[in-house]
């Protein structure tokens, strides 16, 4: 699957590793939450980046004690109509202060790219190569927004009030 990062197709440097597979030495890995929690203490000493795939049916607040250990958080979209990962992304960015890479994985469709970007995702695992090619057009389709979001584009209300900065 193509990986889109900040509008460009990039090579995924993280290796997705199953729960029963050995972790490759020196390579960035992306593992499931059950394995991460089981091995969290041992992973602290790992010399390569560790990312976690966080399911959308688990409270995102549980990840807070581990944020310092992680180099990537991937949030899952098991089906296109399940949007809980959008809320998780906003909570990670706005309440928990996560500034690292945030990846959307699973059933990710082209018409969701703009909302994913506005919710705080900076990496998207596209389903098809054509989706990745359409990313730039999709995220710039609209120039005005009613809702505030985690991206830097101000809502119409903030524009009308002359404020583009996020309130403190």
């Amino acid at each position: 699957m193509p990986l889109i990062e900040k509008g460009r197709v990039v090579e995924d440097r993280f290796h997705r590793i199953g729960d029963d597979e050995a972790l490759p030495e020196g390579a960035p890995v992306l593992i499931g939450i059950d394995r991460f929690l089981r091995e969290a203490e041992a992973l602290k000493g790992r010399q390569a980046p560790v990312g976690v795939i966080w399911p959308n049916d688990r409270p995102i607040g549980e990840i807070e004690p581990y944020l310092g250990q992680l180099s990537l958080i991937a949030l899952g979209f098991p089906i296109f109509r399940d949007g809980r990962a959008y809320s998780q992304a906003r909570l990670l960015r706005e309440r928990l202060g996560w500034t690292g890479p945030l990846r959307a994985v699973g059933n990710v469709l082209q018409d969701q790219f703009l909302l994913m970007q506005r919710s705080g995702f900076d990496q998207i695992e596209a389903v098809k190569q054509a989706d990745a090619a359409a990313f730039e057009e999709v995220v710039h389709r609209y120039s005005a927004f009613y809702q505030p979001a985690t991206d830097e584009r101000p809502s119409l209300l903030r524009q009308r009030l002359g404020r583009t900065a996020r309130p403190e």
Side-chain angles (χ1 to χ4, degrees):
M1 284 188 227
L3 179 64
I4 303 167
E5 182 174 42
K6 298 181 180 159
R8 294 190 322 258
V9 176
V10 297
E11 184 177 335
D12 188 358
R13 62 187 198 101
F14 282 81
H15 302 280
R16 200 173 282 202
I17 306 296
D19 284 350
D20 55 349
E21 296 178 61
L23 297 179
E25 288 297 319
V29 295
L30 184 59
I31 59 177
I33 187 57
D34 293 331
R35 180 173 188 172
F36 176 78
L37 292 175
R38 226 180 16 253
E39 300 176 17
E41 198 58 40
L43 290 169
K44 283 182 181 177
R46 185 170 165 75
Q47 298 300 310
V50 175
V52 67
I53 302 170
W54 194 269
N56 71 352
D57 61 353
R58 191 172 189 131
I60 199 68
E62 292 178 13
I63 202 171
E64 189 171 15
Y66 306 102
L67 290 177
Q69 284 181 250
L70 297 171
S71 299
L72 169 70
I73 299 174
L75 300 177
F77 289 84
I79 56 176
F80 76 93
R81 64 182 182 265
D82 187 342
R84 292 177 283 183
Y86 293 115
S87 299
Q88 289 177 320
R90 298 251 344 233
L91 290 170
L92 274 167
R93 295 288 191 203
E94 295 173 3
R95 290 194 188 159
L96 301 179
W98 174 255
T99 58
L102 189 55
R103 182 182 295 186
V105 298
N107 196 348
V108 175
L109 304 176
Q110 190 180 118
D111 63 345
Q112 299 170 316
F113 289 173
L114 178 60
L115 183 56
M116 287 177 177
Q117 184 185 52
R118 291 193 39 87
S119 297
F121 289 99
D122 43 22
Q123 295 181 355
I124 298 171
E125 263 187 18
V127 175
K128 300 180 276 188
Q129 193 68 36
D131 290 345
F135 178 85
E136 199 61 33
E137 188 273 326
V138 169
V139 299
H140 292 98
R141 188 173 290 160
Y142 302 101
S143 60
F145 302 96
Y146 288 104
Q147 304 87 357
T150 62
D151 67 358
E152 297 304 315
R153 295 188 254 186
S155 67
L156 287 173
L157 177 62
R158 285 203 184 111
Q159 287 179 26
R160 286 184 185 138
L161 295 174
R163 295 187 339 220
T164 57
R166 297 186 66 88
E168 309 244 347

